[in-house]
Amino acid sequence: LKEKHKILHRLLQNSSSPVDL
Amino acid sequence: SQQPDTKSLAKQMHEAYLKHFHMNKAKARVFLTGKTSTPPFVIHDMDTLQHAEQKLITQLLGNMASGDVSTLREREVEARLFLFCQYASVATVTELTEFAKAVPGFAALDLNDQVTLLKYGVYEALFALLASCMNKDGLLVAHGGGFITREFLKSLRKPFSDMMEPKFQFAMRFNALELDDSDLALFVAAIICCGDRPGLSDVSQIERIQESIIHVLRLHLLSNHPDNTLLFPKLLQKLADLRQLVTEHAELVQDINKTEDASLHPLLQEIYRDMY
């Protein structure tokens, strides 16, 4: 699941990290 | 862990909702009812869309890579609008993620379960929130700077013309319930904390969170809408409508992705992949 959802994982783990648009 | 009482959970969710979503129903209604000093720019045909793109591009695409902006100008109008929708969706998914973390118990869940809840919940929540920005004639965009008419969206070529009309139809039924932002905050929390998403590991823990939110939602609706005792069951029915709306939306997006020259944002690819 982690491999397939890297951005969702990142968003969940790091509140200050914006999505890399 | 200590179970927060009804009023404090409702208040906590309402505050998190106002903190994390840049647009809310109260703000949107000010724009939609013409009570602002600068009314939204109305996009109703190709000319007004082009004009709006000049005017609103920084607001619409503030976070967009500059390379994307330059290639965007050469693309057809449907592809450009599809891209705008995607960027708005990505921004809302980001907001929803922060909101989810504020739901008591969510952040303590297994990380894979958090991912699953977001994967299946964000589009249902997004379409529930989108209704706040809609009236029967159109949709508020770009933080209230623009208003795209429903007729213009319907006039696009297929399959893009099929994208928004089902959302308007849902929004009209949903808006008839006259929820306010405090109700919507709990409703969105209930959408996200849903124990029957595929592949969850700790179903019982998620069901406990869900039950507590649903319980508070029922009591909150009774006190906030004392004249409408059927509001709670009507709202639960909307959960099923939203699931159907997302299923059809995911099919349409995957169809567009296959048949059109329209790339999908990596975050949205993650969400749609193996969804239903």
Side-chain angles (χ1 to χ4, degrees), chain B residues 7 14 21 45 47 75 81 120 128 143 199 241 267 276:
Chain B
K7 273 190 182 164
H14 189 194
F21 298 112
D45 59 11
D47 283 346
R75 304 178 77 167
L81 281 169
Y120 288 94
H143 302 193
D241 295 353
L267 174 59
Y276 289 117

Side-chain angles (χ1 to χ4, degrees), chain B residues 25 29 32 127-136 138 167-180 184 231 238:
Chain B
K25 191 166 183 177
R29 293 295 120 180
L32 289 170
F127 293 139
L129 294 172
L130 192 65
S132 297
C133 295
M134 287 175 153
N135 63 23
K136 68 176 174 46
K167 284 76 176 178
F168 277 106
Q169 287 168 8
F170 168 80
M172 294 311 101
R173 296 193 302 271
F174 190 66
N175 288 345
L177 301 179
E178 298 187 322
L179 301 180
D180 67 18
L184 285 166
L231 191 52
K238 297 295 173 228

Side-chain angles (χ1 to χ4, degrees), chain A residues 1-2 4-9 11-15 19-21, chain B residues 63 90 94 98 101 111-112 114-116 118-119 265 270 273-274:
Chain A
L1 202 63
K2 191 176 178 179
K4 287 183 175 175
H5 299 86
K6 284 182 180 165
I7 305 175
L8 276 178
H9 262 263
L11 284 174
L12 280 163
Q13 289 186 295
N14 186 357
S15 61
V19 180
D20 184 8
L21 295 167
Chain B
N63 296 318
V90 168
T94 310
E98 293 308 310
K101 290 181 203 171
L111 196 55
N112 281 327
Q114 293 183 36
V115 168
T116 301
L118 286 177
K119 179 184 180 78
H265 188 286
E270 286 186 4
R273 187 185 299 136
D274 308 322

Side-chain angles (χ1 to χ4, degrees), chain B residues 74-143:
Chain B
E74 294 152 25
R75 304 178 77 167
E76 68 160 335
V77 65
E78 281 82 359
R80 300 206 303 268
L81 281 169
F82 186 62
L83 206 60
F84 291 154
C85 285
Q86 287 193 48
Y87 278 85
S89 305
V90 168
T92 307
V93 171
T94 310
E95 294 175 339
L96 276 162
T97 307
E98 293 308 310
F99 175 76
K101 290 181 203 171
V103 177
F106 181 89
L109 293 169
D110 173 86
L111 196 55
N112 281 327
D113 282 352
Q114 293 183 36
V115 168
T116 301
L117 292 179
L118 286 177
K119 179 184 180 78
Y120 288 94
V122 284
Y123 266 97
E124 291 176 17
L126 190 152
F127 293 139
L129 294 172
L130 192 65
S132 297
C133 295
M134 287 175 153
N135 63 23
K136 68 176 174 46
D137 298 318
L139 164 67
L140 200 63
V141 293
H143 302 193

Side-chain angles (χ1 to χ4, degrees), chain B residues 103-241:
Chain B
V103 177
F106 181 89
L109 293 169
D110 173 86
L111 196 55
N112 281 327
D113 282 352
Q114 293 183 36
V115 168
T116 301
L117 292 179
L118 286 177
K119 179 184 180 78
Y120 288 94
V122 284
Y123 266 97
E124 291 176 17
L126 190 152
F127 293 139
L129 294 172
L130 192 65
S132 297
C133 295
M134 287 175 153
N135 63 23
K136 68 176 174 46
D137 298 318
L139 164 67
L140 200 63
V141 293
H143 302 193
F147 179 81
I148 304 188
T149 68
R150 186 175 178 176
E151 281 306 311
F152 177 56
L153 292 167
K154 258 163 92 172
S155 76
L156 301 172
R157 76 168 171 84
K158 272 192 176 282
F160 298 96
S161 55
D162 299 330
M163 178 77 81
M164 293 309 291
E165 189 52 26
K167 284 76 176 178
F168 277 106
Q169 287 168 8
F170 168 80
M172 294 311 101
R173 296 193 302 271
F174 190 66
N175 288 345
L177 301 179
E178 298 187 322
L179 301 180
D180 67 18
D181 286 311
S182 68
D183 308 322
L184 285 166
L186 287 166
F187 185 61
V188 169
I191 290 173
I192 293 167
C193 298
C194 175
D196 69 351
R197 304 300 190 190
L200 288 173
S201 62
D202 194 351
V203 171
S204 62
Q205 181 59 23
I206 294 159
E207 280 177 347
R208 274 197 289 278
I209 298 173
Q210 181 180 22
E211 274 166 29
S212 123
I213 295 165
I214 294 281
H215 172 71
V216 172
L217 176 63
R218 188 176 68 80
L219 296 178
H220 181 75
L221 291 174
L222 284 172
S223 85
N224 203 26
H225 303 263
D227 300 331
N228 190 352
T229 50
L230 291 177
L231 191 52
F232 178 68
K234 283 180 185 168
L235 198 49
L236 291 187
Q237 179 56 43
K238 297 295 173 228
L239 291 172
D241 295 353

